PDB file of all heavy atoms in Angstrom:
ATOM      1  N   VAL A 149      -7.404   2.247  -5.617  1.00  0.00           N
ATOM      2  CA  VAL A 149      -7.527   0.829  -5.956  1.00  0.00           C
ATOM      3  C   VAL A 149      -6.912  -0.029  -4.851  1.00  0.00           C
ATOM      4  O   VAL A 149      -7.469  -1.063  -4.456  1.00  0.00           O
ATOM      5  CB  VAL A 149      -6.858   0.525  -7.312  1.00  0.00           C
ATOM      6  CG1 VAL A 149      -6.714  -0.980  -7.526  1.00  0.00           C
ATOM      7  CG2 VAL A 149      -7.668   1.133  -8.450  1.00  0.00           C
ATOM      8  N   ALA A 150      -5.761   0.398  -4.333  1.00  0.00           N
ATOM      9  CA  ALA A 150      -5.137  -0.345  -3.241  1.00  0.00           C
ATOM     10  C   ALA A 150      -6.037  -0.368  -2.009  1.00  0.00           C
ATOM     11  O   ALA A 150      -6.153  -1.389  -1.314  1.00  0.00           O
ATOM     12  CB  ALA A 150      -3.778   0.264  -2.899  1.00  0.00           C
ATOM     13  N   LEU A 151      -6.692   0.746  -1.721  1.00  0.00           N
ATOM     14  CA  LEU A 151      -7.613   0.805  -0.586  1.00  0.00           C
ATOM     15  C   LEU A 151      -8.837  -0.077  -0.825  1.00  0.00           C
ATOM     16  O   LEU A 151      -9.320  -0.753   0.099  1.00  0.00           O
ATOM     17  CB  LEU A 151      -8.032   2.251  -0.339  1.00  0.00           C
ATOM     18  CG  LEU A 151      -6.948   3.129   0.291  1.00  0.00           C
ATOM     19  CD1 LEU A 151      -7.240   4.608   0.022  1.00  0.00           C
ATOM     20  CD2 LEU A 151      -6.850   2.879   1.790  1.00  0.00           C
ATOM     21  N   ALA A 152      -9.346  -0.082  -2.049  1.00  0.00           N
ATOM     22  CA  ALA A 152     -10.475  -0.953  -2.375  1.00  0.00           C
ATOM     23  C   ALA A 152     -10.084  -2.425  -2.240  1.00  0.00           C
ATOM     24  O   ALA A 152     -10.890  -3.255  -1.798  1.00  0.00           O
ATOM     25  CB  ALA A 152     -10.975  -0.656  -3.791  1.00  0.00           C
ATOM     26  N   THR A 153      -8.862  -2.758  -2.620  1.00  0.00           N
ATOM     27  CA  THR A 153      -8.374  -4.135  -2.470  1.00  0.00           C
ATOM     28  C   THR A 153      -8.343  -4.534  -1.003  1.00  0.00           C
ATOM     29  O   THR A 153      -8.731  -5.649  -0.628  1.00  0.00           O
ATOM     30  CB  THR A 153      -6.967  -4.260  -3.087  1.00  0.00           C
ATOM     31  OG1 THR A 153      -7.001  -3.845  -4.453  1.00  0.00           O
ATOM     32  CG2 THR A 153      -6.472  -5.701  -3.016  1.00  0.00           C
ATOM     33  N   LEU A 154      -7.911  -3.608  -0.150  1.00  0.00           N
ATOM     34  CA  LEU A 154      -7.894  -3.872   1.289  1.00  0.00           C
ATOM     35  C   LEU A 154      -9.322  -4.001   1.822  1.00  0.00           C
ATOM     36  O   LEU A 154      -9.590  -4.840   2.696  1.00  0.00           O
ATOM     37  CB  LEU A 154      -7.149  -2.745   2.004  1.00  0.00           C
ATOM     38  CG  LEU A 154      -6.719  -2.995   3.448  1.00  0.00           C
ATOM     39  CD1 LEU A 154      -5.800  -4.194   3.555  1.00  0.00           C
ATOM     40  CD2 LEU A 154      -6.024  -1.766   4.010  1.00  0.00           C
ATOM     41  N   GLN A 155     -10.235  -3.207   1.299  1.00  0.00           N
ATOM     42  CA  GLN A 155     -11.641  -3.315   1.699  1.00  0.00           C
ATOM     43  C   GLN A 155     -12.188  -4.704   1.373  1.00  0.00           C
ATOM     44  O   GLN A 155     -12.919  -5.306   2.173  1.00  0.00           O
ATOM     45  CB  GLN A 155     -12.456  -2.245   0.967  1.00  0.00           C
ATOM     46  CG  GLN A 155     -13.948  -2.286   1.248  1.00  0.00           C
ATOM     47  CD  GLN A 155     -14.301  -1.630   2.561  1.00  0.00           C
ATOM     48  OE1 GLN A 155     -13.943  -0.490   2.809  1.00  0.00           O
ATOM     49  NE2 GLN A 155     -15.028  -2.349   3.407  1.00  0.00           N
ATOM     50  N   VAL A 156     -11.851  -5.230   0.211  1.00  0.00           N
ATOM     51  CA  VAL A 156     -12.310  -6.557  -0.199  1.00  0.00           C
ATOM     52  C   VAL A 156     -11.650  -7.642   0.661  1.00  0.00           C
ATOM     53  O   VAL A 156     -12.275  -8.655   0.998  1.00  0.00           O
ATOM     54  CB  VAL A 156     -12.014  -6.772  -1.697  1.00  0.00           C
ATOM     55  CG1 VAL A 156     -12.212  -8.226  -2.096  1.00  0.00           C
ATOM     56  CG2 VAL A 156     -12.924  -5.879  -2.535  1.00  0.00           C
ATOM     57  N   GLN A 157     -10.396  -7.439   1.010  1.00  0.00           N
ATOM     58  CA  GLN A 157      -9.707  -8.377   1.911  1.00  0.00           C
ATOM     59  C   GLN A 157     -10.400  -8.417   3.274  1.00  0.00           C
ATOM     60  O   GLN A 157     -10.499  -9.470   3.891  1.00  0.00           O
ATOM     61  CB  GLN A 157      -8.249  -7.959   2.083  1.00  0.00           C
ATOM     62  CG  GLN A 157      -7.421  -8.892   2.954  1.00  0.00           C
ATOM     63  CD  GLN A 157      -5.991  -8.377   3.122  1.00  0.00           C
ATOM     64  OE1 GLN A 157      -5.515  -7.550   2.329  1.00  0.00           O
ATOM     65  NE2 GLN A 157      -5.313  -8.854   4.142  1.00  0.00           N
ATOM     66  N   ASP A 158     -10.862  -7.251   3.747  1.00  0.00           N
ATOM     67  CA  ASP A 158     -11.625  -7.111   4.986  1.00  0.00           C
ATOM     68  C   ASP A 158     -10.913  -7.720   6.194  1.00  0.00           C
ATOM     69  O   ASP A 158     -11.492  -8.545   6.916  1.00  0.00           O
ATOM     70  CB  ASP A 158     -13.014  -7.747   4.827  1.00  0.00           C
ATOM     71  CG  ASP A 158     -13.946  -7.395   5.981  1.00  0.00           C
ATOM     72  OD1 ASP A 158     -13.734  -6.343   6.619  1.00  0.00           O
ATOM     73  OD2 ASP A 158     -14.868  -8.188   6.252  1.00  0.00           O
ATOM     74  N   PRO A 159      -9.667  -7.307   6.459  1.00  0.00           N
ATOM     75  CA  PRO A 159      -8.985  -7.831   7.642  1.00  0.00           C
ATOM     76  C   PRO A 159      -9.510  -7.200   8.921  1.00  0.00           C
ATOM     77  O   PRO A 159     -10.156  -6.138   8.890  1.00  0.00           O
ATOM     78  CB  PRO A 159      -7.527  -7.432   7.392  1.00  0.00           C
ATOM     79  CG  PRO A 159      -7.639  -6.158   6.609  1.00  0.00           C
ATOM     80  CD  PRO A 159      -8.854  -6.316   5.733  1.00  0.00           C
ATOM     81  N   ALA A 160      -9.231  -7.827  10.043  1.00  0.00           N
ATOM     82  CA  ALA A 160      -9.627  -7.267  11.331  1.00  0.00           C
ATOM     83  C   ALA A 160      -8.799  -6.035  11.671  1.00  0.00           C
ATOM     84  O   ALA A 160      -9.283  -5.106  12.314  1.00  0.00           O
ATOM     85  CB  ALA A 160      -9.492  -8.319  12.424  1.00  0.00           C
ATOM     86  N   ILE A 161      -7.543  -6.027  11.229  1.00  0.00           N
ATOM     87  CA  ILE A 161      -6.603  -4.943  11.538  1.00  0.00           C
ATOM     88  C   ILE A 161      -6.078  -4.363  10.229  1.00  0.00           C
ATOM     89  O   ILE A 161      -5.563  -5.104   9.384  1.00  0.00           O
ATOM     90  CB  ILE A 161      -5.439  -5.462  12.398  1.00  0.00           C
ATOM     91  CG1 ILE A 161      -5.966  -6.021  13.734  1.00  0.00           C
ATOM     92  CG2 ILE A 161      -4.396  -4.373  12.646  1.00  0.00           C
ATOM     93  CD1 ILE A 161      -4.979  -6.908  14.449  1.00  0.00           C
ATOM     94  N   TRP A 162      -6.214  -3.050  10.069  1.00  0.00           N
ATOM     95  CA  TRP A 162      -5.735  -2.364   8.873  1.00  0.00           C
ATOM     96  C   TRP A 162      -4.484  -1.572   9.229  1.00  0.00           C
ATOM     97  O   TRP A 162      -4.534  -0.678  10.086  1.00  0.00           O
ATOM     98  CB  TRP A 162      -6.789  -1.392   8.340  1.00  0.00           C
ATOM     99  CG  TRP A 162      -8.055  -2.005   7.824  1.00  0.00           C
ATOM    100  CD1 TRP A 162      -8.759  -3.034   8.371  1.00  0.00           C
ATOM    101  CD2 TRP A 162      -8.794  -1.566   6.680  1.00  0.00           C
ATOM    102  NE1 TRP A 162      -9.885  -3.281   7.640  1.00  0.00           N
ATOM    103  CE2 TRP A 162      -9.933  -2.390   6.595  1.00  0.00           C
ATOM    104  CE3 TRP A 162      -8.607  -0.559   5.740  1.00  0.00           C
ATOM    105  CZ2 TRP A 162     -10.892  -2.242   5.582  1.00  0.00           C
ATOM    106  CZ3 TRP A 162      -9.551  -0.401   4.738  1.00  0.00           C
ATOM    107  CH2 TRP A 162     -10.672  -1.240   4.654  1.00  0.00           C
ATOM    108  N   LEU A 163      -3.373  -1.876   8.571  1.00  0.00           N
ATOM    109  CA  LEU A 163      -2.141  -1.105   8.714  1.00  0.00           C
ATOM    110  C   LEU A 163      -1.944  -0.332   7.419  1.00  0.00           C
ATOM    111  O   LEU A 163      -1.807  -0.933   6.342  1.00  0.00           O
ATOM    112  CB  LEU A 163      -0.946  -2.029   8.969  1.00  0.00           C
ATOM    113  CG  LEU A 163      -1.057  -2.968  10.174  1.00  0.00           C
ATOM    114  CD1 LEU A 163       0.171  -3.877  10.249  1.00  0.00           C
ATOM    115  CD2 LEU A 163      -1.228  -2.197  11.468  1.00  0.00           C
ATOM    116  N   LEU A 164      -1.909   0.998   7.506  1.00  0.00           N
ATOM    117  CA  LEU A 164      -1.874   1.828   6.300  1.00  0.00           C
ATOM    118  C   LEU A 164      -0.689   2.775   6.349  1.00  0.00           C
ATOM    119  O   LEU A 164      -0.539   3.538   7.309  1.00  0.00           O
ATOM    120  CB  LEU A 164      -3.176   2.623   6.163  1.00  0.00           C
ATOM    121  CG  LEU A 164      -4.454   1.784   6.159  1.00  0.00           C
ATOM    122  CD1 LEU A 164      -5.220   2.029   7.454  1.00  0.00           C
ATOM    123  CD2 LEU A 164      -5.333   2.099   4.971  1.00  0.00           C
ATOM    124  N   ASP A 165       0.128   2.723   5.307  1.00  0.00           N
ATOM    125  CA  ASP A 165       1.311   3.576   5.225  1.00  0.00           C
ATOM    126  C   ASP A 165       1.038   4.708   4.248  1.00  0.00           C
ATOM    127  O   ASP A 165       1.033   4.512   3.030  1.00  0.00           O
ATOM    128  CB  ASP A 165       2.515   2.744   4.772  1.00  0.00           C
ATOM    129  CG  ASP A 165       3.832   3.451   5.032  1.00  0.00           C
ATOM    130  OD1 ASP A 165       3.816   4.536   5.647  1.00  0.00           O
ATOM    131  OD2 ASP A 165       4.881   2.908   4.636  1.00  0.00           O
ATOM    132  N   GLU A 166       0.774   5.884   4.791  1.00  0.00           N
ATOM    133  CA  GLU A 166       0.483   7.092   4.009  1.00  0.00           C
ATOM    134  C   GLU A 166      -0.660   6.885   3.007  1.00  0.00           C
ATOM    135  O   GLU A 166      -0.482   7.012   1.786  1.00  0.00           O
ATOM    136  CB  GLU A 166       1.741   7.566   3.279  1.00  0.00           C
ATOM    137  CG  GLU A 166       2.819   8.099   4.186  1.00  0.00           C
ATOM    138  CD  GLU A 166       2.367   9.282   5.043  1.00  0.00           C
ATOM    139  OE1 GLU A 166       1.513  10.043   4.577  1.00  0.00           O
ATOM    140  OE2 GLU A 166       2.853   9.409   6.177  1.00  0.00           O
ATOM    141  N   PRO A 167      -1.862   6.591   3.491  1.00  0.00           N
ATOM    142  CA  PRO A 167      -2.989   6.392   2.573  1.00  0.00           C
ATOM    143  C   PRO A 167      -3.422   7.661   1.848  1.00  0.00           C
ATOM    144  O   PRO A 167      -4.222   7.588   0.908  1.00  0.00           O
ATOM    145  CB  PRO A 167      -4.100   5.886   3.504  1.00  0.00           C
ATOM    146  CG  PRO A 167      -3.749   6.436   4.844  1.00  0.00           C
ATOM    147  CD  PRO A 167      -2.250   6.415   4.906  1.00  0.00           C
ATOM    148  N   MET A 168      -2.908   8.831   2.278  1.00  0.00           N
ATOM    149  CA  MET A 168      -3.253  10.080   1.606  1.00  0.00           C
ATOM    150  C   MET A 168      -2.369  10.368   0.398  1.00  0.00           C
ATOM    151  O   MET A 168      -2.559  11.387  -0.283  1.00  0.00           O
ATOM    152  CB  MET A 168      -3.155  11.261   2.583  1.00  0.00           C
ATOM    153  CG  MET A 168      -4.039  11.146   3.820  1.00  0.00           C
ATOM    154  SD  MET A 168      -5.808  11.081   3.437  1.00  0.00           S
ATOM    155  CE  MET A 168      -6.114   9.309   3.505  1.00  0.00           C
ATOM    156  N   ASN A 169      -1.394   9.506   0.119  1.00  0.00           N
ATOM    157  CA  ASN A 169      -0.493   9.722  -1.015  1.00  0.00           C
ATOM    158  C   ASN A 169      -1.278   9.971  -2.304  1.00  0.00           C
ATOM    159  O   ASN A 169      -2.172   9.187  -2.661  1.00  0.00           O
ATOM    160  CB  ASN A 169       0.409   8.496  -1.217  1.00  0.00           C
ATOM    161  CG  ASN A 169       1.651   8.559  -0.356  1.00  0.00           C
ATOM    162  OD1 ASN A 169       1.919   9.556   0.303  1.00  0.00           O
ATOM    163  ND2 ASN A 169       2.421   7.484  -0.355  1.00  0.00           N
ATOM    164  N   HIS A 170      -0.957  11.041  -2.988  1.00  0.00           N
ATOM    165  CA  HIS A 170      -1.488  11.368  -4.323  1.00  0.00           C
ATOM    166  C   HIS A 170      -2.956  11.779  -4.327  1.00  0.00           C
ATOM    167  O   HIS A 170      -3.498  12.068  -5.403  1.00  0.00           O
ATOM    168  CB  HIS A 170      -1.312  10.189  -5.296  1.00  0.00           C
ATOM    169  CG  HIS A 170       0.073   9.631  -5.352  1.00  0.00           C
ATOM    170  ND1 HIS A 170       1.151  10.357  -5.799  1.00  0.00           N
ATOM    171  CD2 HIS A 170       0.566   8.408  -4.987  1.00  0.00           C
ATOM    172  CE1 HIS A 170       2.242   9.613  -5.718  1.00  0.00           C
ATOM    173  NE2 HIS A 170       1.918   8.444  -5.226  1.00  0.00           N
ATOM    174  N   LEU A 171      -3.623  11.806  -3.171  1.00  0.00           N
ATOM    175  CA  LEU A 171      -5.051  12.093  -3.172  1.00  0.00           C
ATOM    176  C   LEU A 171      -5.319  13.592  -3.115  1.00  0.00           C
ATOM    177  O   LEU A 171      -4.652  14.329  -2.400  1.00  0.00           O
ATOM    178  CB  LEU A 171      -5.730  11.424  -1.977  1.00  0.00           C
ATOM    179  CG  LEU A 171      -5.669   9.904  -1.901  1.00  0.00           C
ATOM    180  CD1 LEU A 171      -6.503   9.405  -0.724  1.00  0.00           C
ATOM    181  CD2 LEU A 171      -6.133   9.250  -3.200  1.00  0.00           C
ATOM    182  N   ASP A 172      -6.327  14.035  -3.880  1.00  0.00           N
ATOM    183  CA  ASP A 172      -6.765  15.424  -3.813  1.00  0.00           C
ATOM    184  C   ASP A 172      -7.555  15.629  -2.516  1.00  0.00           C
ATOM    185  O   ASP A 172      -7.918  14.665  -1.833  1.00  0.00           O
ATOM    186  CB  ASP A 172      -7.606  15.771  -5.042  1.00  0.00           C
ATOM    187  CG  ASP A 172      -8.823  14.867  -5.179  1.00  0.00           C
ATOM    188  OD1 ASP A 172      -9.693  14.894  -4.285  1.00  0.00           O
ATOM    189  OD2 ASP A 172      -8.899  14.119  -6.177  1.00  0.00           O
ATOM    190  N   PRO A 173      -7.818  16.892  -2.112  1.00  0.00           N
ATOM    191  CA  PRO A 173      -8.497  17.133  -0.835  1.00  0.00           C
ATOM    192  C   PRO A 173      -9.827  16.402  -0.689  1.00  0.00           C
ATOM    193  O   PRO A 173     -10.146  15.890   0.391  1.00  0.00           O
ATOM    194  CB  PRO A 173      -8.674  18.655  -0.815  1.00  0.00           C
ATOM    195  CG  PRO A 173      -7.524  19.164  -1.624  1.00  0.00           C
ATOM    196  CD  PRO A 173      -7.341  18.155  -2.721  1.00  0.00           C
ATOM    197  N   HIS A 174     -10.629  16.361  -1.761  1.00  0.00           N
ATOM    198  CA  HIS A 174     -11.919  15.671  -1.685  1.00  0.00           C
ATOM    199  C   HIS A 174     -11.730  14.203  -1.336  1.00  0.00           C
ATOM    200  O   HIS A 174     -12.414  13.660  -0.445  1.00  0.00           O
ATOM    201  CB  HIS A 174     -12.661  15.796  -3.019  1.00  0.00           C
ATOM    202  CG  HIS A 174     -13.831  14.869  -3.144  1.00  0.00           C
ATOM    203  ND1 HIS A 174     -15.013  15.069  -2.457  1.00  0.00           N
ATOM    204  CD2 HIS A 174     -13.988  13.717  -3.854  1.00  0.00           C
ATOM    205  CE1 HIS A 174     -15.855  14.083  -2.743  1.00  0.00           C
ATOM    206  NE2 HIS A 174     -15.265  13.256  -3.589  1.00  0.00           N
ATOM    207  N   HIS A 175     -10.818  13.545  -2.017  1.00  0.00           N
ATOM    208  CA  HIS A 175     -10.626  12.116  -1.779  1.00  0.00           C
ATOM    209  C   HIS A 175      -9.883  11.845  -0.470  1.00  0.00           C
ATOM    210  O   HIS A 175     -10.057  10.788   0.133  1.00  0.00           O
ATOM    211  CB  HIS A 175      -9.911  11.468  -2.969  1.00  0.00           C
ATOM    212  CG  HIS A 175     -10.788  11.297  -4.170  1.00  0.00           C
ATOM    213  ND1 HIS A 175     -10.644  12.044  -5.314  1.00  0.00           N
ATOM    214  CD2 HIS A 175     -11.850  10.486  -4.378  1.00  0.00           C
ATOM    215  CE1 HIS A 175     -11.564  11.682  -6.186  1.00  0.00           C
ATOM    216  NE2 HIS A 175     -12.312  10.744  -5.652  1.00  0.00           N
ATOM    217  N   GLN A 176      -9.068  12.782  -0.007  1.00  0.00           N
ATOM    218  CA  GLN A 176      -8.462  12.615   1.310  1.00  0.00           C
ATOM    219  C   GLN A 176      -9.536  12.502   2.382  1.00  0.00           C
ATOM    220  O   GLN A 176      -9.512  11.592   3.221  1.00  0.00           O
ATOM    221  CB  GLN A 176      -7.537  13.799   1.626  1.00  0.00           C
ATOM    222  CG  GLN A 176      -6.228  13.793   0.863  1.00  0.00           C
ATOM    223  CD  GLN A 176      -5.317  14.931   1.297  1.00  0.00           C
ATOM    224  OE1 GLN A 176      -5.522  15.536   2.337  1.00  0.00           O
ATOM    225  NE2 GLN A 176      -4.306  15.214   0.494  1.00  0.00           N
ATOM    226  N   LEU A 177     -10.483  13.428   2.359  1.00  0.00           N
ATOM    227  CA  LEU A 177     -11.547  13.409   3.359  1.00  0.00           C
ATOM    228  C   LEU A 177     -12.445  12.193   3.179  1.00  0.00           C
ATOM    229  O   LEU A 177     -12.870  11.563   4.159  1.00  0.00           O
ATOM    230  CB  LEU A 177     -12.360  14.692   3.286  1.00  0.00           C
ATOM    231  CG  LEU A 177     -11.617  15.971   3.673  1.00  0.00           C
ATOM    232  CD1 LEU A 177     -12.487  17.198   3.419  1.00  0.00           C
ATOM    233  CD2 LEU A 177     -11.183  15.926   5.127  1.00  0.00           C
TER     234      LEU A 177
END
Side-chain angles (χ1 to χ4, degrees):
V149 168
L151 286 159
T153 304
L154 195 59
Q155 177 80 54
V156 168
Q157 182 182 340
D158 191 25
I161 299 163
W162 294 42
L163 304 177
L164 304 110
D165 196 5
E166 292 301 329
M168 302 298 98
N169 274 353
H170 309 296
L171 298 185
D172 58 63
H174 167 73
H175 286 109
Q176 286 184 16
L177 294 174

